[in-house]
Amino acid sequence: MRDMSNSQGAQICTDKLSWKTKLGMAIFGFGIRSSVNRSNGTINRFIMSLFDIKSPPTNTPKNGIQSTDVVVDPNRNLWFRLYNPTATDTSLPVIIYFHGGGFAFVSANSIAMDTYCKRLAKQLPAVIISVNYRLTPEHRYPCQYDDGLDVLKFIDSNLNFKGFPANADLNRCFVAGDSAGGNIAHHVTLRACDSNFSSVNIIGLIGLQPFFGGEERTESEIKLVDVPYITIQGTDSLWRMFLPEGSNRDHPAANVSGPNADDISKVAKFPSTIVFVGGFDPLKDWQKRYYEALKRHGKEAYLVEYPNVFHAFYSIPELEESDMLIEEVKRFMEKQSLKVLEGTTK
């Protein structure tokens, strides 16, 4: 990537976008900044609700996709939205998906997340299970990881839950997530390696610009300012709301490539992983270190970088890189699925 000023970088990030998209990004960003502007570090959920528009499930198929909400535990508002491509009866892989939002914002029924999951379900195609986990700071680490693993256990033991299609192949399961959801996807997958499932077989991990960090300030964090969505002050605040009281950013939940990180070298069942990185994402150095740590521990891992995109670019269809990412995910899933068919993995 060529050297350039921050203003030039910010321009490249957004010059392909329509004015409507730019306006929507600005409004949502303003909503987040307004809702966290509390001196005690909590979030004003009422203000945030004004900017986080929700979308109902489409119980009647629309554009080839049917969606259904399934409750796992009403006591902690743990549920997921199931997306079923109805245009085919051939066997489909299953993706357990965790949304982004810094562990603190957005939900499985947020309109942007709902739209993206419908797109994934149709274009891959795949059955998508989008998890509505608990949010911080009301529910700190490890609640999000607990919720994710419990959804996997629910799916494994309740194969006839409402809306689950007969052509969903649980022997070809992938765990995926974007941003904070990518962090959750990694840790839930690691926990799942110690669990015994009767039907769920995780054969791949998909990290879309996963949210990792550490006490060190990386080059990308220092140089990439004035880019969409991400500021170092903002990510620091999110880590303070998520991590246990008294912890710093080298906690193993945040710094998965640091000295306190879980040793996955002896975790035989850890699946093949693909990591997506954006050239104008301040978090990209941490994402690359994650990929390098996987390789160092002997795991099958792939890194895909799009030089001229920012954090959360995948959710904007007008960017060509957004479609390129879905095609790359599709190839990764087909490659891992072929191993199942050939009997080279469980």
Side-chain angles (χ1 to χ4, degrees):
M1 185 175 68
R2 64 185 183 277
D3 188 28
M4 62 185 66
S5 70
N6 291 327
S7 59
Q8 287 176 307
Q11 180 64 33
I12 284 182
C13 283
T14 58
D15 62 4
K16 299 179 183 179
L17 303 179
S18 67
W19 69 267
K20 289 184 179 179
T21 299
K22 293 178 183 178
L23 178 62
M25 291 169 60
I27 291 173
F28 188 75
F30 175 78
I32 289 180
R33 290 191 299 274
S34 299
S35 66
V36 298
N37 194 25
R38 281 179 165 178
S39 58
N40 62 358
T42 60
I43 293 173
N44 189 319
R45 294 294 177 192
F46 173 74
I47 290 180
M48 191 60 212
S49 69
L50 302 178
F51 297 89
D52 184 15
I53 309 302
K54 307 300 184 184
S55 180
T58 53
N59 296 313
T60 300
K62 184 177 181 181
N63 297 322
I65 302 296
Q66 180 183 30
S67 60
T68 308
D69 289 347
V70 179
V71 176
V72 176
D73 183 354
N75 293 323
R76 51 179 155 152
N77 194 32
L78 178 58
W79 56 274
F80 59 81
R81 180 161 290 181
L82 172 74
Y83 297 87
N84 175 27
T86 57
T88 178
D89 57 2
T90 59
S91 177
L92 294 175
V94 177
I95 298 177
I96 294 88
Y97 195 92
F98 297 95
H99 66 78
F103 309 103
F105 303 103
V106 191
S107 59
N109 60 349
S110 294
I111 191 167
M113 181 49 53
D114 183 67
T115 300
Y116 188 62
C117 284
K118 287 176 180 174
R119 186 172 161 217
L120 287 177
K122 187 171 185 176
Q123 290 185 226
L124 288 174
V127 174
I128 309 293
I129 291 173
S130 179
V131 180
N132 193 74
Y133 54 86
R134 288 172 289 176
L135 299 178
T136 191
E138 296 88 345
H139 305 282
R140 288 177 174 264
Y141 162 95
C143 293
Q144 294 73 18
Y145 305 162
D146 293 341
D147 289 350
L149 186 61
D150 285 348
V151 166
L152 285 175
K153 292 178 178 179
F154 175 88
I155 296 166
D156 190 62
S157 59
N158 295 274
L159 300 182
N160 296 317
F161 59 81
K162 180 183 177 182
F164 193 60
N167 61 331
D169 185 2
L170 287 174
N171 199 39
R172 292 186 292 145
C173 278
F174 295 82
V175 180
D178 65 275
S179 194
N183 176 299
I184 296 170
H186 167 78
H187 287 285
V188 169
T189 299
L190 186 59
R191 287 184 173 204
C193 291
D194 290 329
S195 301
N196 293 316
F197 297 114
S198 58
S199 300
V200 170
N201 180 33
I202 300 172
I203 63 171
L205 174 57
I206 303 165
L208 311 185
Q209 298 178 285
F211 183 24
F212 298 122
E215 283 297 295
E216 176 191 348
R217 290 301 187 205
T218 66
E219 182 179 5
S220 61
E221 287 176 315
I222 295 170
K223 290 187 174 182
L224 292 174
V225 297
D226 296 326
V227 292
Y229 290 125
I230 296 292
T231 67
I232 299 308
Q233 294 79 12
T235 56
D236 284 355
S237 176
L238 291 170
W239 287 125
R240 285 193 297 270
M241 287 191 287
F242 172 68
L243 295 172
E245 294 283 355
S247 300
N248 64 23
R249 295 186 302 274
D250 282 331
H251 187 281
N255 192 346
V256 295
S257 55
N260 301 323
D262 296 309
D263 182 6
I264 63 171
S265 61
K266 298 179 181 179
V267 182
K269 295 194 297 181
F270 198 87
S272 301
T273 303
I274 188 168
V275 183
F276 291 91
V277 176
F280 289 101
D281 182 357
L283 301 176
K284 69 175 182 177
D285 287 346
W286 291 113
Q287 295 154 5
K288 290 180 178 180
R289 290 185 187 186
Y290 170 54
Y291 159 77
E292 292 163 358
L294 292 173
K295 297 287 285 186
R296 187 169 63 250
H297 288 304
K299 305 307 174 186
E300 182 180 355
Y302 305 91
L303 180 71
V304 181
E305 182 173 9
Y306 301 113
N308 294 327
V309 293
F310 50 90
H311 196 77
F313 75 92
Y314 41 81
S315 63
I316 303 177
E318 64 195 74
L319 292 174
E320 63 178 347
E321 290 90 346
S322 182
D323 278 329
M324 291 167 63
L325 181 146
I326 292 179
E327 286 302 310
E328 198 69 52
V329 168
K330 187 174 183 179
R331 285 191 288 271
F332 173 75
M333 293 177 65
E334 288 173 345
K335 180 177 181 179
Q336 303 311 316
S337 296
L338 185 60
K339 293 179 183 178
V340 175
L341 296 175
E342 293 175 343
T344 55
T345 187
K346 178 183 174 183

